[in-house]
């Protein structure tokens, strides 16, 4: 990416990860236009960029093909971060991930094709691996058998992107994230635990048996590694796992949240079963060899990422 010549469009830039990516791009001097329908994104997350002359917000929906085609005019590089990231939702609403992830990504790819845009970075997920038999799971793992509608939708997006890459000479970066945590997160386990403990500081209900072991990475490291990988890789399709090098259990996260909130005598209850919900992958840790080969290594452990997130969420109410 060349900040003097390339114009960037960032879908989902008002959301949790998108707004941190926006901050980082702005600090590096890039001109960025955010395209977001503000469904879960928040205007306040854009505040640090509002006075920046290179910044623009287009309040638009990826399901509106005219709006996204227009937004892509004159753009050189697209970060596609917008999605519905709620994994649990697929069990009760079967259309949301199809529309917000697959159809939205198809509309965007068409806008790229029609506007001659040749570079795209996409935020995918560890859930494309399903219940992986190899842990840590490398990017080359297969067959990919997602067990959630969310994972399936992201894998479909990846397939669309790689096929557009081959057919229309699009250069693509696909990032498969572990759980990303940090300030401004509006969903996920830490957010849920804080909400539950604010309602009832004596009891914490944990979905599943609490033994789910997953990798968590702080959003600051996530966005830094994305930009690092784009700078250091130049294939037609570049796929990278992004996560921490260890895991932490749901119960341990519960203990950290209780500690950081200064609570005591909290009774943990469990809904039972090894999965928190239908489609939950109970053991997840991603292989980071590809990132390491290009010179990147995460500094944060899962615990440090969790602790910093709890503190920043508590501070910002
Ligand atoms: P988020 O909900 O905070 O951000 C999504 C953003 O996209 C929001 O600003 C929302 O308003 C916008 N958006 C949604 N649908 C849109 C549409 N149709 N048109 C325009 N804008 C739309 O979620 P997040 O946690 O920041 O996730 C960002 C990306 O990272 C997503 O693609 C998600 O699937 C992926 N991801 C997140 C995690 C995680 O742990 N947070 C893990 C793996 C992958």
């Amino acid at each position: 990416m060349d900040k003097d010549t390339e114009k960037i469009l960032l879908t989902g830039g008002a959301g949790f990860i998108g707004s941190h990516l926006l901050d980082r791009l702005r600090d590096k001097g890039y001109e960025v236009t955010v395209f977001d329908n503000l469904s879960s994104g928040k205007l306040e997350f854009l505040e640090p960029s509002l006075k920046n002359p290179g910044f623009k917000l287009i309040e638009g929906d990826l399901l509106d093909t005219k709006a996204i085609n227009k937004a892509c005019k004159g753009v050189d590089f697209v970060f596609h971060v917008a999605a519905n990231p709620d994994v649990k939702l697929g069990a009760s609403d079967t259309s949301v991930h199809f529309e917000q992830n697959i159809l939205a990504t198809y509309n965007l790819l068409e806008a790229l094709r029609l506007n001659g845009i040749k570079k795209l970075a996409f935020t995918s997920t560890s859930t494309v691996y399903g219940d992986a038999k190899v842990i840590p799971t490398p990017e080359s793992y297969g067959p990919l058998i997602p067990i959630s509608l969310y994972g399936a939708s992201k894998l479909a997006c990846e397939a669309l992107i790689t096929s557009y890459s081959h057919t229309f000479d699009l250069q693509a970066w696909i990032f498969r994230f572990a759980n990303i945590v940090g300030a401004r997160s509006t969903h996920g386990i830490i957010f849920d635990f804080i909400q539950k403990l604010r309602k009832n500081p004596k009891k914490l209900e944990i979905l599943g048996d609490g033994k789910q072991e997953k990798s968590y990475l702080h959003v600051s490291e996530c966005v830094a590694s994305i930009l690092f990988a784009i700078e250091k890789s130049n294939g037609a399709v570049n796929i990278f796992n992004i996560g921490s090098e260890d895991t932490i259990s749901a119960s341990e996260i519960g203990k950290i949240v209780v500690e950081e909130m200064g609570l005591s005598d909290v009774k943990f209850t469990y809904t039972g079963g090894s999965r928190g919900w239908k489609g939950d992958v109970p053991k997840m840790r991603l292989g980071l060899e590809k990132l390491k080969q290009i010179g990147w290594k995460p500094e944060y452990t899962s615990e440090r990422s969790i602790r910093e997130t709890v503190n920043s969420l508590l501070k910002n109410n």
Side-chain angles (χ1 to χ4, degrees):
M1 284 191 305
D2 181 345
K3 64 175 176 297
D4 297 322
T5 55
E6 292 195 309
K7 278 190 137 181
I8 294 175
L9 184 76
L10 167 57
T11 74
F16 161 47
I17 297 172
S19 64
H20 285 280
L21 181 57
L22 172 66
D23 289 350
R24 186 71 61 125
L25 288 167
R26 186 200 58 233
D27 291 348
K28 283 178 171 280
Y30 288 99
E31 278 193 20
V32 184
T33 297
V34 164
F35 185 92
D36 199 301
N37 67 0
L38 301 179
S39 52
S40 61
K42 291 191 166 54
L43 281 176
E44 69 198 67
F45 295 168
L46 299 173
E47 222 144 81
S49 297
L50 291 180
K51 289 204 180 100
N52 196 279
F55 170 77
K56 193 174 152 197
L57 168 66
I58 300 173
E59 203 176 321
D61 197 310
L62 282 162
L63 298 184
D64 178 350
T65 50
K66 263 196 195 148
I68 187 60
N69 283 345
K70 198 170 158 207
C72 280
K73 291 222 167 2
V75 166
D76 303 288
F77 197 113
V78 175
F79 284 93
H80 179 32
V81 179
N84 184 307
D86 185 349
V87 190
K88 286 192 207 89
L89 201 58
S92 54
D93 181 341
T94 54
S95 65
V96 65
H97 294 128
F98 177 77
E99 286 169 4
Q100 298 301 323
N101 301 353
I102 304 177
L103 187 55
T105 300
Y106 167 74
N107 288 345
L108 177 66
L109 284 166
E110 276 297 277
L112 262 68
R113 182 177 70 82
L114 295 170
N115 285 283
I117 302 172
K118 296 294 181 195
K119 288 179 185 178
L120 171 73
F122 174 65
T123 51
S124 190
T125 155
S126 63
T127 61
V128 297
Y129 296 116
D131 277 325
K133 307 257 177 320
V134 178
I135 293 177
T137 313
E139 292 86 349
S140 57
Y141 177 84
L144 298 179
I145 306 176
I147 59 163
S148 61
L149 274 67
Y150 169 73
S153 73
K154 286 289 190 170
L155 183 55
C157 292
E158 288 195 13
L160 280 172
I161 291 167
T162 59
S163 59
Y164 266 69
S165 165
H166 183 80
T167 314
F168 304 111
D169 298 324
L170 173 72
Q171 189 177 19
W173 288 264
I174 292 174
F175 298 104
R176 294 178 178 158
F177 294 164
N179 291 305
I180 307 302
V181 294
R184 303 180 188 155
S185 60
T186 51
H187 56 93
I189 186 166
I190 304 176
F191 185 83
D192 283 353
F193 283 179
I194 292 176
Q195 301 302 315
K196 282 177 177 170
L197 286 166
R198 279 194 170 138
K199 262 195 204 143
N200 183 353
K202 286 287 161 210
K203 191 185 130 187
L204 179 63
E205 182 193 69
I206 296 180
L207 302 181
D209 58 11
K211 293 183 183 141
Q212 303 95 310
E213 282 278 345
K214 306 189 198 190
S215 154
Y216 292 80
L217 186 71
H218 197 266
V219 67
S220 58
E221 293 223 278
C222 169
V223 298
S225 63
I226 289 177
L227 297 181
F228 185 86
I230 292 173
E231 202 186 307
K232 301 283 179 190
S233 58
N234 201 19
V237 174
N238 309 277
I239 302 181
F240 290 98
N241 285 336
I242 293 188
S244 61
E245 294 198 278
D246 61 353
T247 58
I248 190 166
S249 73
S251 291
E252 282 168 310
I253 295 176
K255 282 185 203 149
I256 294 175
V257 176
V258 165
E259 241 174 72
E260 297 295 332
M261 288 179 81
L263 302 173
S264 54
D265 302 325
V266 179
K267 185 174 163 31
F268 285 17
T269 64
Y270 298 91
T271 58
S274 62
R275 300 180 198 278
W277 57 88
K278 272 239 184 265
D280 183 27
V281 175
K283 302 253 176 281
M284 181 271 287
R285 190 181 141 203
L286 301 176
L288 300 179
E289 283 315 307
K290 270 187 85 176
L291 264 188
K292 285 185 189 167
Q293 273 163 19
I294 58 166
W296 177 268
K297 195 174 174 303
E299 278 178 21
Y300 280 51
T301 58
S302 291
E303 179 179 344
R304 181 172 166 204
S305 298
I306 299 279
R307 258 186 216 284
E308 286 199 14
T309 302
V310 177
N311 279 315
S312 44
L313 291 181
L314 291 175
K315 226 185 275 160
N316 294 316
N317 214 13

